[in-house]
Amino acid sequence: MENRRILCAASYYAQKFYLNPAHDRLPQAVKDELKAMCVLFVDEVSGIIILEFGEKGDLRIVVTHNDDDFYFDEIGSEMKIRELREEKRELFEQLEDYYAAGI
C-alpha cells in the first residue's frame, strides 16, 4: 500500500469525499464530476471507492468494505465499476494523460 498515487476517494462510512491536494489544479468541473461519481457510487453500493494511478499511470478503481457491512453490494459494485469504465472512459483517459504529463 506504500507509494499509492491516490487521485480521490469517497467513504460511505465517514460520509466524506477526499481529493488528493496534489491534484488540486484539476479544473473545477473535473473535480465536481469526480466527487459526484464517487459519492453516488458509495451511496448506491456502500463501502469505500478509491481512484488511484497504477505504476504505468493507468487509472484504477479500488473498492473496499468493512467485513461487517451487510449492506455492501458486491455484485452491484462490480456492475457499477463496469458501468463507470464505460460511461467515464473519456474522462479516465484524460486523467491518465494529465497524470502522464506530470501536471
Side-chain angles (χ1 to χ4, degrees):
M1 292 290 230
E2 288 183 29
N3 296 327
R4 291 181 77 177
R5 295 176 218 99
I6 294 175
L7 171 62
C8 62
S11 170
Y12 178 81
Y13 312 117
Q15 294 291 296
K16 291 192 178 193
F17 172 78
Y18 167 79
L19 176 68
N20 187 334
H23 304 294
D24 198 44
R25 293 178 47 181
L26 284 168
Q28 188 61 45
V30 172
K31 292 190 275 188
D32 292 344
E33 187 170 356
L34 288 170
K35 182 177 183 178
M37 177 183 69
C38 290
V39 169
L40 288 172
F41 183 94
V42 296
D43 276 351
E44 206 171 300
V45 300
S46 190
I48 299 169
I49 184 171
I50 302 166
L51 273 62
E52 65 182 16
F53 294 102
E55 290 291 323
K56 297 179 181 178
D58 54 313
L59 190 62
R60 298 177 182 174
I61 301 171
V62 179
V63 177
T64 64
H65 63 91
N66 292 346
D67 291 336
D68 62 347
D69 182 356
F70 300 109
Y71 294 106
F72 181 73
D73 182 357
E74 194 162 342
I75 294 170
S77 172
E78 292 296 323
M79 290 173 53
K80 189 75 176 161
I81 289 171
R82 280 194 295 267
E83 183 180 306
L84 285 177
R85 289 193 187 284
E86 182 71 27
E87 289 179 4
K88 305 293 185 183
R89 180 179 313 188
E90 187 175 331
L91 172 65
F92 291 171
E93 289 172 357
Q94 291 172 345
L95 287 166
E96 289 172 345
D97 291 343
Y98 154 86
Y99 184 76
I103 298 175

